[in-house]
């Protein structure tokens, strides 16, 4: 008999549910799988690496599946966030902080000190943790494992097994199931298997293909325009040229069209690997995203500063790759800088002419970013050489971006801080791709989340579980459409709403932003308003 006194006035159970016997067994299986990984990190020699790698990954996957089955299949379909603020791991408790520190530490070692995990110089056999993945790497690409193969394998396994858990949790919502299957497919096929198969092609003297995640486009794929990447693609015949052309078309044609029709969700919630990990492995931490006004202000400045840096860095890298002789290059440095300047000017002009009123005071900040880039192009033209840009080596600029943005921000902080800052830290504060898609979503997209304010009971579920820190409830209470640059269209706000207030829609641009038509009990001609819709 439980004699514990509960002082809470809440109708809900004031403490987290204890683990069932099946869940404890599932956790034990996962821990055993992780223990095998720990033994490998401490350089334990395994007589059969294929067997032990299969056992470790298999136990982790089996444990997650059994845990998810018992947690969700034993209950009716519907919202499943019981006790989320009473669990140590999902409420910044001790377990959450320990998990965050361990994840961050592992990322730091894997990214910057792979030799401590057993990676050796080229030509020498791997040892320790990385050697455990050699059999799988040789099966797929014919090469020994590297730190990045280990990273990609663990990343993919996490998305697949936690994706299964996510599907069970939101099995009452077909939209969530479809997009989760989509990100699992793109991560496994486009980000993991196809690049490894491409690496096997390099055994032929006709190919020198660089690593290429086909679903990752610039500016996420910031190395696409590096000299080694361009040279590798151009020296790989028709296949390499096709991949380079596809990369450029993805940026300027495919992405704008899809974002216009469906919003940034087509990429951030259906394709992107960063979003895939955030939505699956990071689902338990989505409520930790800050909803403060200060966080929103930081988000706007930081993510667009990263975008400006990305544009300048990429322009500088391409500039130093090109030459001034039109007989050697189909586009010269001067022509390239002029093209970049004209493109940015066209985008800025169209936005100012047609969307000036919607931008409000943000137009001033956009103008600042535009003039910074244009000024950088002028400086680039008058100071650039074959090696240097802005009086420093262009490779140093590229390395700084890769280190601080590509590695530390997106990898170490973006993933390691899930249990502390929420699951979309990178997507919200640093991803330049999210900034570009968000700008187009806000200005030129059919996507919006419509609200039925009359049905809203102000429970706050939508705001609590918005991983991008949007105060969804404030829009729902007013019956106002949600059209935000940061919204990734994950649909969780709609999935956790008990009243069906929120709906993800693609419709005409007219009436999309309806802040002036909100019903607040004023005398409004309802029939006239409906007819305008």
């Amino acid at each position: 008999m439980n004699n514990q006194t509960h002082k809470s006035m809440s109708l809900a159970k004031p403490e987290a549910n204890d683990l069932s016997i099946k869940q404890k067994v599932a956790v034990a299986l996962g821990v055993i799988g992780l223990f095998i990984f720990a033994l490998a990190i401490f350089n334990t020699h395994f007589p059969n690496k294929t067997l032990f790698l299969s056992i470790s990954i298999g136990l982790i996957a089996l444990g997650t599946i059994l845990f998810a089955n018992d947690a969700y299949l034993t209950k009716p379909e519907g919202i499943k966030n019981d006790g989320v603020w009473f669990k140590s791991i999902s409420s910044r408790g001790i377990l959450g902080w320990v998990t965050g520190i361990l994840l961050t530490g592992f990322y730091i070692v894997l990214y910057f000190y792979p030799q401590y995990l057993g990676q050796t110089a080229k030509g020498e056999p791997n040892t320790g943790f990385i050697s455990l993945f050699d059999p799988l790497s040789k099966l797929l690409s014919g090469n020994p494992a590297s730190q990045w193969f280990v990273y990609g394998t663990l990343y993919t396994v996490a998305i697949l097994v936690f994706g299964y858990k996510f599907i069970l949790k939101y099995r009452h919502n077909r939209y969530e199931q479809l997009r989760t299957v989509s990100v699992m497919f793109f991560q496994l096929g486009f980000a993991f298997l196809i690049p490894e198969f491409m690496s096997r092609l390099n055994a032929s003297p006709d190919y020198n293909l660089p690593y290429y995640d086909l679903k990752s486009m610039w500016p996420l794929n910031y190395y696409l325009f590096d000299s080694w990447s361009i040279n590798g693609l151009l020296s790989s015949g028709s296949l390499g040229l096709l991949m380079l052309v596809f990369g450029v078309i993805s940026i300027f044609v495919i992405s704008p069209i899809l974002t216009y029709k469906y919003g940034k969700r087509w990429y951030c919630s259906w394709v992107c690997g960063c979003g895939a990990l955030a939505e699956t492995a990071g689902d338990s931490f989505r409520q930790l995203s800050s909803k403060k006004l200060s966080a929103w202000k930081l988000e706007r400045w930081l993510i667009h500063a990263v975008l400006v840096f990305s544009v300048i860095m990429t322009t500088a890298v391409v500039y130093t790759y090109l030459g001034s002789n039109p007989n050697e290059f189909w586009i010269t440095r001067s022509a390239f800088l002029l093209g970049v300047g004209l493109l940015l000017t066209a985008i800025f002009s169209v936005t100012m002419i047609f969307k000036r009123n919607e931008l409000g005071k943000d137009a001033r900040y956009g103008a600042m970013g535009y003039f910074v880039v244009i000024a950088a192009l002028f400086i680039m033209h008058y100071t650039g050489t074959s090696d240097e840009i802005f009086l420093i080596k262009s490779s140093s600029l590229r390395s700084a971006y890769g280190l601080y943005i590509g590695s530390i921000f997106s990898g170490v902080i973006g993933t390691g801080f899930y249990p502390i800052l929420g699951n979309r830290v990178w997507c919200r504060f640093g991803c330049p791709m999210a900034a570009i898609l968000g700008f187009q979503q806000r200005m030129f997209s059919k996507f919006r989340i419509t609200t039925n304010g009359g049905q809203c009971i102000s429970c706050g579920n939508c705001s609590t579980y918005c991983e991008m820190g949007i105060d969804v409830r404030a829009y729902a209470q007013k019956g106002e459409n949600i059209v935000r640059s940061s919204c990734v269209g994950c649909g969780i706000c709609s999935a956790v709403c008990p009243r069906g207030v929120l709906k993800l829609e693609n419709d005409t641009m007219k009436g999309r932003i309806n802040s002036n038509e909100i019903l607040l009990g004023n005398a409004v001609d309802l029939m006239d308003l409906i007819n305008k819709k």
Side-chain angles (χ1 to χ4, degrees):
M1 182 176 179
N2 186 0
N3 295 321
Q4 181 180 0
T5 300
H6 299 298
K7 298 181 180 180
S8 173
M9 296 292 290
S10 174
L11 295 176
K13 189 177 179 181
E15 70 274 348
N17 294 326
D18 295 330
L19 298 181
S20 67
I21 298 297
K22 291 183 180 179
Q23 290 175 347
K24 290 178 180 178
V25 171
V27 170
L29 292 175
V31 169
I32 294 173
L34 292 174
F35 181 68
I36 295 176
F37 280 166
L39 291 177
I41 290 176
F42 288 104
N43 211 20
T44 301
H45 175 71
F46 293 106
N48 189 328
K49 291 184 173 63
T50 302
L51 175 63
F52 278 91
L53 177 63
S54 301
I55 291 174
S56 58
I57 294 179
L59 287 175
I60 293 172
L62 179 61
T64 305
I65 292 172
L66 292 178
F67 189 99
N69 286 347
D70 189 69
Y72 302 119
L73 294 183
T74 57
K75 300 177 182 178
E77 296 181 2
I79 304 168
K80 297 291 186 298
N81 288 311
D82 310 34
V84 68
W85 288 110
F86 298 104
K87 298 175 183 176
S88 179
I89 193 170
S90 59
S91 61
R92 299 193 188 96
I94 294 177
L95 191 55
W97 277 96
V98 170
T99 303
I101 292 172
L102 290 177
L103 280 174
T104 303
F106 178 74
Y107 262 80
I108 290 174
V109 175
L110 183 64
Y111 270 49
F112 306 114
Y113 307 101
Q115 66 271 21
Y116 295 128
L117 296 177
Q119 182 161 304
T120 55
K122 192 172 184 180
E124 299 182 11
N126 290 320
T127 61
F129 183 63
I130 290 181
S131 69
L132 189 63
F133 292 79
D134 279 343
L136 181 59
S137 180
K138 290 178 180 178
L139 174 67
L140 296 177
S141 67
N143 301 315
S146 66
Q147 66 191 110
W148 304 121
F149 179 80
V150 173
Y151 171 80
T153 303
L154 296 178
Y155 201 101
T156 303
V157 169
I159 289 174
L160 294 179
V161 297
F162 283 102
Y164 174 81
K165 173 179 176 288
F166 187 93
I167 289 173
L168 293 189
K169 181 178 179 180
Y170 294 97
R171 67 187 189 278
H172 66 289
N173 190 297
R174 188 166 179 265
Y175 178 82
E176 300 302 332
Q177 293 180 317
L178 288 176
R179 73 178 185 86
T180 304
V181 171
S182 174
V183 294
M184 292 166 69
F185 166 76
F186 279 105
Q187 176 61 32
L188 178 62
F190 285 63
F192 184 64
L193 293 179
I194 291 178
E196 294 301 322
F197 296 153
M198 286 167 49
S199 180
R200 185 175 284 275
L201 288 177
N202 290 336
S204 169
D206 297 329
Y207 294 100
N208 183 31
L209 295 169
Y211 173 83
Y212 196 145
D213 177 356
L214 291 176
K215 66 176 178 51
S216 183
M217 66 185 75
W218 182 88
L220 268 185
N221 184 1
Y222 54 86
Y223 46 80
L224 174 62
F225 299 109
D226 285 359
S227 59
W228 58 268
S229 177
I230 295 178
N231 290 333
L233 292 172
L234 293 179
S235 63
S236 298
S238 300
L239 178 60
L241 181 60
L242 179 63
M243 292 171 61
L244 181 59
V245 171
F246 174 75
V248 176
I249 292 177
S250 298
I251 301 167
F252 297 106
V253 180
I254 298 176
S255 175
I257 291 176
L258 291 178
T259 307
Y260 169 73
K261 290 180 67 66
Y262 305 109
K264 66 192 285 187
R265 58 176 171 159
W266 80 265
Y267 189 79
C268 296
S269 292
W270 286 74
V271 175
C272 179
C274 300
L277 189 70
E279 293 294 336
T280 53
D283 176 64
S284 299
F285 311 109
R286 64 174 61 249
Q287 70 279 356
L288 300 179
S289 62
S290 176
K291 312 301 189 293
K292 294 180 179 179
L293 181 62
S294 57
W296 175 64
K297 292 181 178 179
L298 175 63
E299 167 194 329
R300 295 199 304 165
W301 278 101
L302 195 55
I303 195 171
H304 293 102
V306 172
L307 176 60
V308 170
F309 185 16
S310 177
V311 171
I312 294 175
M313 179 274 298
T314 304
T315 304
V317 168
V318 176
Y319 178 87
T320 54
Y321 175 80
L322 299 172
S324 301
N325 187 348
N327 296 323
E328 297 180 3
F329 297 90
W330 65 275
I331 180 172
T332 62
R333 290 177 174 176
S334 300
F336 172 70
L337 288 184
L338 180 62
V340 173
L342 290 176
L343 175 63
L344 293 176
T345 300
I347 295 173
F348 178 74
S349 300
V350 169
T351 304
M352 289 296 105
I353 293 173
F354 294 101
K355 298 292 181 177
R356 177 66 178 83
N357 293 333
E358 292 183 17
L359 283 172
K361 66 178 182 181
D362 288 342
R364 182 169 67 251
Y365 304 136
M368 290 170 57
Y370 165 75
F371 286 115
V372 166
V373 176
I374 294 299
L377 296 182
F378 276 103
I379 297 173
M380 203 178 298
H381 176 70
Y382 289 106
T383 66
T385 66
S386 58
D387 297 317
E388 295 184 346
I389 210 79
F390 307 128
L391 305 179
I392 62 174
K393 287 187 176 182
S394 61
S395 58
S396 299
L397 191 66
R398 160 64 175 78
S399 298
Y401 183 89
L403 173 63
Y404 296 111
I405 306 300
S407 297
I408 295 178
F409 200 163
S410 70
V412 176
I413 296 176
T415 305
F417 282 29
Y418 274 8
I420 310 301
L421 299 177
N423 61 328
R424 286 274 191 173
V425 179
W426 161 247
C427 309
R428 183 181 178 187
F429 293 99
C431 178
M433 184 71 184
I436 291 177
L437 297 180
F439 168 78
Q440 186 179 347
Q441 176 170 273
R442 181 65 176 79
M443 297 289 103
F444 308 99
S445 176
K446 295 181 176 182
F447 172 70
R448 82 291 307 272
I449 300 178
T450 58
T451 62
N452 182 357
Q455 290 292 319
C456 180
I457 58 174
S458 299
C459 66
N461 276 356
C462 52
S463 294
T464 298
Y465 296 104
C466 177
E467 58 197 355
M468 299 304 289
I470 300 172
D471 187 5
V472 181
R473 178 172 59 179
Y475 289 87
Q477 289 172 330
K478 297 182 292 184
E480 181 180 355
N481 290 347
I482 302 172
V483 183
R484 290 282 292 270
S485 298
S486 57
C487 177
V488 294
C490 67
I492 294 297
C493 58
S494 176
V496 299
C497 178
R499 300 279 289 174
V501 173
L502 305 161
K503 185 179 180 181
L504 283 67
E505 293 185 0
N506 299 311
D507 205 341
T508 61
M509 295 284 291
K510 184 178 180 180
R512 177 168 166 262
I513 299 177
N514 64 341
S515 57
N516 294 324
E517 298 177 352
I518 303 168
L519 302 181
L520 294 175
N522 298 322
V524 178
D525 188 337
L526 295 179
M527 292 306 300
D528 180 62
L529 184 61
I530 292 173
N531 290 330
K532 287 182 179 179
K533 297 294 184 182

